[in-house]
């Protein structure tokens, strides 16, 4: 009897494990999740953005343009198959994170730096890094400085509500040098402080400073120092607690990256529909099994590429060579070309 009891327990455990395994293999519908439900009921995604030309700014007709804006439109394609079903709202560094916590936005596309405090203490989830940046220093050329330590005793403007406040303090503490911080809340006052001579330098993400330099009255009177004081991985941010919405954000970004890996562009995507490669067939929805299994439109990746292009196209169109920012790909190159941009497999 004791042996029979042991056998029954083992059978019960095995059956239970099999049931749990079967449940785990069931497709998860993209209909699930409170954020997505609200978005579909509302009919539009609400995205918080900043105001940096090349990354997020309205054009002369009031239409938002930029690298992060394109990822917002890609997200609208994933959810609605319509790149216009996203509403962009400018939000200051001081307002954006509280606004996301309060549910005013479904996603932040403001170039938020991924940090452990924001993840644990503030309760945010981050999507994939879409731009690798680092904190820089924009200085007056007549100071004749070539590196950050030369700014010993300088007055440096830093925008409140950003990681820049802590990073610049850490740098000067570490190097044993001194500086006078001038905390500036209003974005519009940031450049004025440098232009008027109120501060000797500004510190912020390097790409942000490159954009701001072009807005100064005499850009050639200022230089962006080559070194970077920090790591600033910039990613979409959402409220914690909605795993389904996080995965939709994740795989929307990954679709643009994987497309570049495959060599699929906005112009040639239709030609890839005839590919015999099973991975490309799954990716573009020619084989619909992947999309059906995850509860998304099997052609969501195809639709994204048709609407905004692949990651490289998004980068070059908004901030790359030939734009006002004229940025090199650098760390934002594909991993196959020495960069950090990488997508997990679509399978």
């Amino acid at each position: 009897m004791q042996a029979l009891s042991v056998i029954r327990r083992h059978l019960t455990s095995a059956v239970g494990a099999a049931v749990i395994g079967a449940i785990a293999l069931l497709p998860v519908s993209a209909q699930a999740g409170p954020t997505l439900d609200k978005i579909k009921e509302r009919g539009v995604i609400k995205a918080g953005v900043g105001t940096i030309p090349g990354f997020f700014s309205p054009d002369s007709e009031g239409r938002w343009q930029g690298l992060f804006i394109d990822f917002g439109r890609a997200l609208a394609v994933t959810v609605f198959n319509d790149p216009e079903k996203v509403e962009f709202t400018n939000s200051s560094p001081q307002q954006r994170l509280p606004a996301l916590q309060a549910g005013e936005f479904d996603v932040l596309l403001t170039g938020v730096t991924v940090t452990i405090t924001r993840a644990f203490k503030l309760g945010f989830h981050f999507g994939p890094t879409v731009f690798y940046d680092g904190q820089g220093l924009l200085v007056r050329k007549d100071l004749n400085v070539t590196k950050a330590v030369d700014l010993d005793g300088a007055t440096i403007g830093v925008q409140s509500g950003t990681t820049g406040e802590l990073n610049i303090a850490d740098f000067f503490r570490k190097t044993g040098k001194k500086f006078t911080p001038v905390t500036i809340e209003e974005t519009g006052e940031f450049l004025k402080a440098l232009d008027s001579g109120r501060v000797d330098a500004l510190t912020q993400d390097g790409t942000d400073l490159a954009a701001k330099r072009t807005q100064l009255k005499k850009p050639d009177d200022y230089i962006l120092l080559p070194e970077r004081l920090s790591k600033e991985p910039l990613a979409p941010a959402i409220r914690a607690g909605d795993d389904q919405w996080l995965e939709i954000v994740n795989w929307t970004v990954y679709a643009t990256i994987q497309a570049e890996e495959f060599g699929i562009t906005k112009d040639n995507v239709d030609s890839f529909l005839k590919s015999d490669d099973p991975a490309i067939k799954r990716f573009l929805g020619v084989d619909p099994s992947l999309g059906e299994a995850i509860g998304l439109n099997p052609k969501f990746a195809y639709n994204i590429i048709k609407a905004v292009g692949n990651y490289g196209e998004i980068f070059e169109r908004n901030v790359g060579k030939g734009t006002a920012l004229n940025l090199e790909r650098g760390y934002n190159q594909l991993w196959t070309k020495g960069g950090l941009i990488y997508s997990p497999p679509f399978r």
Side-chain angles (χ1 to χ4, degrees):
M1 292 293 291
Q2 186 174 3
L4 183 58
S5 177
V6 170
I7 291 171
R8 282 174 177 163
R9 284 201 302 273
H10 280 293
L11 284 172
T12 301
S13 298
V15 171
V19 170
I20 291 170
I23 291 172
L25 291 173
L26 290 174
V28 179
S29 171
Q31 302 299 320
T35 305
L36 187 61
D37 288 343
K38 288 179 182 177
I39 289 170
K40 290 202 167 185
E41 182 180 353
R42 187 195 306 133
V44 67
I45 298 168
K46 290 188 174 183
V49 296
T51 50
I52 302 171
F55 290 93
F56 19 57
S57 63
D59 62 18
S60 58
E61 297 179 354
R63 178 175 167 78
W64 285 89
Q65 306 287 355
L67 183 140
F68 282 94
I69 299 301
D70 279 346
F71 283 109
R73 294 200 171 106
L75 192 54
V77 170
T78 300
V79 175
F80 295 110
N81 194 18
D82 185 344
E84 300 308 314
K85 288 195 173 184
V86 55
E87 178 182 288
F88 300 108
T89 302
N90 178 29
S91 186
S92 73
Q94 301 79 24
Q95 298 167 336
R96 59 187 58 157
L97 293 175
L100 181 61
Q101 281 179 322
E104 294 177 29
F105 301 126
D106 303 310
V107 60
L108 276 186
L109 296 169
T110 56
V112 181
T113 300
V114 181
T115 72
I116 190 171
T117 305
R118 288 171 174 172
F120 279 87
K121 188 175 180 181
L122 300 182
F124 295 118
H125 282 327
F126 295 94
T129 297
V130 297
F131 194 90
Y132 289 93
D133 206 349
Q135 187 167 331
L137 285 155
L138 182 64
V139 304
R140 295 205 323 266
K141 217 180 249 186
D142 59 15
L143 291 179
N144 294 318
V145 301
T146 58
K147 52 189 182 298
V149 291
D150 294 339
L151 288 168
D152 188 20
T155 300
I156 300 176
V158 58
Q159 194 156 23
S160 63
T162 67
T163 53
E165 290 184 273
L166 298 176
N167 292 337
I168 193 68
D170 284 350
F171 173 80
F172 277 92
R173 190 179 300 115
K174 179 175 65 177
T175 57
K177 306 296 182 180
K178 294 183 179 180
F179 80 110
T180 301
V182 176
T183 303
I184 302 168
E185 183 169 339
E186 293 296 326
T187 302
E189 297 299 317
F190 203 54
L191 282 180
K192 289 181 182 177
L194 184 62
D195 220 11
S196 66
R198 179 184 170 198
V199 299
D200 300 310
L202 296 176
T203 187
Q204 208 168 23
D205 290 353
T207 49
D208 190 7
L209 292 176
K212 281 183 165 51
R213 179 177 173 273
T214 66
Q215 299 169 30
L216 289 162
K217 294 176 182 177
K218 296 181 178 180
D220 291 341
D221 288 352
Y222 304 89
I223 184 172
L224 181 61
L225 298 184
E227 64 193 296
R228 294 295 176 263
L229 310 183
S230 68
K231 294 185 292 185
E232 303 292 335
L234 309 180
I238 69 168
R239 293 184 302 282
D242 194 333
D243 294 343
Q244 188 69 13
W245 180 233
L246 176 63
E247 293 304 335
I248 289 173
V249 172
N250 286 344
W251 290 95
T252 294
V253 174
Y254 290 143
T256 68
I257 297 169
Q258 186 60 60
E260 186 179 9
E261 280 194 43
F262 281 141
I264 301 173
T265 69
K266 188 174 183 179
D267 290 336
N268 71 16
V269 63
D270 285 329
S271 67
F272 277 83
L273 295 175
K274 302 174 184 177
S275 173
D276 292 326
D277 186 332
I280 292 177
K281 284 185 173 183
R282 286 193 302 270
F283 179 68
L284 294 179
V286 176
D287 172 0
S289 59
L290 177 63
E292 290 170 352
I294 61 178
L296 291 177
N297 180 340
K299 301 197 75 169
F300 85 97
Y302 168 86
N303 293 333
I304 287 171
I305 306 313
K306 267 297 218 185
V308 299
N310 66 34
Y311 179 88
E313 290 178 288
I314 292 171
F315 184 99
E316 294 299 338
R317 178 170 62 243
N318 292 295
V319 299
K321 292 297 183 180
T323 69
L325 294 187
N326 200 34
L327 298 179
E328 299 279 355
R329 286 286 293 267
Y331 289 132
N332 298 296
Q333 184 61 268
L334 289 180
W335 67 284
T336 53
K337 297 181 179 179
L340 299 177
I341 299 298
Y342 182 99
S343 169
F346 275 71
R347 65 173 310 122

